[in-house]
Amino acid sequence: MTASGEPSPAAPAADDAALVARLAARDAVALREVIARYAGPLNRVAFRMTGDAHEAEDIVQEACLRLWDHAPRLAARHPAGTPAGGALRLSGWLARVVTNLAIDRLRQARRVSGEEVPERADEAPLADAMIEADQRDGTARALVLALPERQRAAIVLTYYEELPNAEAAAAMDMNIKAFESLLHRARAGLRQAFAAQGDAR
Amino acid sequence: MSVNENDQDAPIARGSQLARALDDFAVPELPAGFADKVLVAAQARPAPLPELRRSGGGGARGWRLGRRIAIGAVGFGALATAAAATGLLERVGVPVPTPEKVWASITGKERVPPVVAAPAPAIKPPADPAPAALAPVRIEGAIDTPEELAEAFRRIDEVRQGRMEARRQLLDERIEREKERRRAAGLPVPTPEEEARLRQRIEEERTRREGLASQRIEARREELRERIESGEALTGEDIIRPLREDVRALERRERFERLRQMTPEQRREALRRLPPEQRRELMEAWRQRQQQRLRDGVPAAVDGPVPEAPPQDMPEVVSPSGIAPDESPR
């Protein structure tokens, strides 16, 4: 279970290779299965990274389409019924894609706007819900979104998605030592920000 | 704030104030039609490009191999074309005094220059009767008059001219032989244009070298003239001594050249094999050259205590009389 009480994305991976093989064969039903299984967790990561529901939806869609595109290659490298196929973890592959896409978009938004975090809640289609929730989750959002993007990803993957450090490091294309150092800085930053909010209140 | 939150490096404990605050970060659900939207987008997606076969694929590997072979063949052709000119240049011996010595220095064959045991040019009667007939001045004994000295110079110049002509003929023969050799070996042969450029370069180099040699000869002759004018009588030894010095300088130079063309390992081995006295002499000569270069502000050799190549502008080794040390006046 994740921090929000939602099902963990760590779905059984034994049939990931078979699923990818079906995607490689251009099986639309397989893609629908992938979405049903992984889109929720991916959306959580994307939203907590960007703070924008619309952006998160785009990111998840792009990740699913990239899987669709890469399925033939993945299927060739991880044939179903082989040890290589058994080693395939679509959740990890998709988490890496989503994390990278989110970081890319945050950097792009920062370059365009010059701001650290794009705050566009009012433009989102779920603006009303967001406004209602603002009172409740405003503190959390502010805490998480105030982190630099890579530190934010480290917190999202390890705290919210409860990924082991090794998997989170893999999702961020980092070695474990570097990731742990990043996570240490993220936690410290989060605690300092939280303490500062408390002082302000 | 829990105790855990005071530890900056510890994981965020569930149930702590920080965790409760973070857990309030709610995530909106994806829209209901999300899966359909993705499926439509997937169907509209252009077919992915075929995977690059970077490993294992015989085709890509074959192409890379073929490309390397093609690059190698082109490179070899370019090098061979360059070698057709430069190799030929070396073989015809542009940078060294005589064609024979060029050949010896390039092939590495030990060729001991003949010891100058011939009589001094000034006191030997000319072998060719024609010049003697044109030159009534007879040289008897020591040279002690300007006329005798001029006569000696004249005879020497005749020898020198003949020698330069012989060199040109040798050069032509060598170029032809080299072209024949290359044809027989299937190597590229210079085109007429390339050969013309090659000959022009050789001619320019020869003119430059002969000019330098002439300056040196004239300077030495001027010294000899002054000695005659001051009443001194010149013996054969006066002319032969610098000749012998030049012979030794030439031997050193040839050895330097051979050493320069060797790899560092071959060079060390060659030096090791030399008799100790020759090795000492060679190293001493090298040191002197280095000191001279330092005094002249010329950069030192880059590869350590190994005799470096003589400067390319070193004038032709000639005796004060103008005759190369390996030739005797007629």
Side-chain angles (χ1 to χ4, degrees):
Chain A
M1 298 287 283
T2 62
S4 57
E6 296 154 347
S8 167
D15 59 345
D16 275 353
L19 196 56
V20 168
R22 289 168 56 201
L23 288 172
R26 292 305 183 238
D27 182 352
V29 177
L31 182 57
R32 193 177 289 277
E33 286 181 32
V34 167
I35 294 167
R37 189 181 298 178
Y38 297 110
L42 298 177
N43 181 52
R44 291 198 303 268
V45 172
F47 180 75
R48 284 176 173 137
M49 283 291 294
T50 61
D52 185 315
H54 216 76
E55 195 87 68
E57 185 184 332
D58 281 352
I59 289 171
V60 175
Q61 177 173 329
E62 178 62 24
C64 291
L65 292 174
R66 286 196 183 185
L67 175 62
W68 178 259
D69 289 346
H70 284 76
R73 197 176 308 170
L74 277 175
R77 290 180 187 166
H78 303 277
T82 65
L88 179 61
R89 295 287 180 273
L90 270 185
S91 58
W93 193 92
L94 288 165
R96 183 163 65 242
V97 173
V98 164
T99 305
N100 288 332
L101 284 172
I103 290 174
D104 287 348
R105 292 194 182 205
L106 287 170
R107 288 177 176 168
Q108 189 178 12
R110 190 173 56 190
R111 278 198 298 273
V112 171
S113 68
E115 295 173 0
E116 177 64 21
V117 179
E119 286 288 354
R120 303 193 314 200
D122 290 344
E123 300 169 12
L126 300 174
D128 293 343
M130 295 289 287
I131 292 167
E132 287 178 10
D134 269 353
Q135 291 295 323
R136 183 167 51 83
D137 68 4
T139 301
R141 287 170 55 87
L143 282 174
V144 175
L145 296 181
L147 291 172
E149 54 254 26
R150 291 182 71 78
Q151 292 185 22
R152 193 184 314 170
I155 291 294
V156 167
L157 293 173
T158 58
Y159 179 77
Y160 288 111
E161 298 305 316
E162 299 180 338
L163 290 184
N165 286 359
E167 287 184 30
M172 294 183 67
D173 288 328
M174 296 175 74
N175 67 52
I176 186 67
K177 290 284 184 191
F179 177 78
E180 285 174 350
S181 173
L182 177 74
L183 185 58
H184 167 71
R185 293 196 303 275
R187 286 169 177 161
L190 207 52
R191 288 190 168 101
Q192 287 171 5
F194 184 62
Q197 278 191 353
D199 292 343
R201 285 193 298 268
Chain B
M1 194 173 283
S2 71
V3 176
N4 173 265
E5 285 158 23
N6 293 325
D7 183 357
Q8 300 289 305
D9 194 27
I12 298 164
R14 297 291 174 190
S16 65
Q17 288 184 358
L18 175 58
R20 284 198 297 274
L22 290 174
D23 290 347
D24 284 339
F25 195 169
V27 178
E29 295 292 329
L30 284 166
F34 176 76
D36 295 332
K37 194 171 73 168
V38 174
L39 283 170
V40 169
Q43 297 297 334
R45 198 93 158 169
L49 292 171
E51 185 179 2
L52 291 174
R53 290 174 295 177
R54 286 182 179 167
S55 60
R61 184 173 172 273
W63 160 239
R64 284 198 299 274
L65 190 63
R67 189 174 56 177
R68 285 172 190 159
I69 290 172
I71 290 170
V74 171
F76 178 79
L79 287 174
T81 305
T86 57
L88 212 55
L89 261 183
E90 287 178 358
R91 286 172 186 275
V92 297
V94 167
V96 283
T98 68
E100 290 82 4
K101 294 196 178 301
V102 169
W103 197 251
S105 66
I106 287 174
T107 57
K109 292 176 184 170
E110 196 65 36
R111 184 179 179 280
V112 179
V115 176
V116 182
I123 57 176
K124 182 178 179 183
D128 186 354
L134 294 173
V137 177
R138 294 181 62 84
I139 302 172
E140 293 178 355
I143 297 173
D144 53 3
T145 66
E147 290 74 19
E148 286 180 334
L149 187 61
E151 173 60 17
F153 288 160
R154 190 191 64 76
R155 294 176 189 178
I156 289 165
D157 285 344
E158 283 178 356
V159 171
R160 189 170 177 234
Q161 287 298 327
R163 183 173 166 277
M164 287 193 290
E165 185 56 39
R167 256 192 222 167
R168 287 192 180 91
Q169 290 175 4
L170 278 172
L171 182 68
D172 290 342
E173 291 169 9
R174 189 153 294 134
I175 288 174
E176 290 304 318
R177 279 205 303 272
E178 180 60 15
K179 283 164 61 180
E180 285 302 318
R181 188 189 71 81
R182 286 180 171 275
R183 280 195 197 98
L187 295 169
V189 177
T191 62
E193 292 78 16
E194 287 173 338
E195 186 178 332
R197 283 199 298 272
L198 171 67
R199 287 180 181 275
Q200 185 184 355
R201 285 180 59 191
I202 293 171
E203 190 58 38
E204 288 169 0
E205 178 66 13
R206 183 165 52 201
T207 304
R208 187 185 67 82
R209 293 170 57 78
E210 286 175 357
L212 289 169
S214 296
Q215 289 175 13
R216 190 177 170 189
I217 290 167
E218 189 53 39
R220 288 189 178 181
R221 286 185 178 181
E222 191 57 36
E223 289 176 17
L224 295 176
R225 286 191 196 99
E226 288 174 1
R227 286 170 68 180
I228 292 288
E229 285 172 4
S230 65
E232 194 177 338
L234 300 176
T235 65
E237 186 63 20
D238 291 326
I239 299 175
I240 290 298
R241 196 187 310 119
L243 192 66
R244 286 176 180 156
E245 289 170 1
D246 281 349
V247 168
R248 282 194 290 273
L250 179 62
E251 287 174 344
R252 279 199 300 272
R253 183 180 168 191
E254 285 186 327
R255 200 167 284 136
F256 284 172
E257 181 62 22
R258 282 197 298 275
L259 288 167
R260 192 181 69 82
Q261 293 176 1
M262 294 176 182
T263 65
E265 292 75 22
Q266 290 173 332
R267 205 179 287 152
R268 273 192 291 274
E269 181 62 21
L271 284 171
R272 194 182 63 76
R273 284 183 182 173
L274 280 177
E277 63 277 8
Q278 282 191 27
R279 187 164 57 236
R280 276 195 296 275
E281 183 188 2
L282 202 63
M283 298 306 286
E284 180 58 32
W286 176 81
R287 271 190 286 273
Q288 288 175 2
R289 288 170 61 83
Q290 288 294 90
Q291 288 169 0
Q292 184 61 43
R293 279 170 162 266
L294 286 172
R295 280 195 294 273
D296 296 344
V298 178
V302 292
D303 50 357
V306 176
E308 80 281 25
Q312 289 300 307
D313 58 353
M314 175 180 275
E316 185 176 14
V317 177
V318 289
S319 72
S321 57
I323 295 180
D326 59 339
E327 289 187 5
S328 302
R330 285 175 289 183

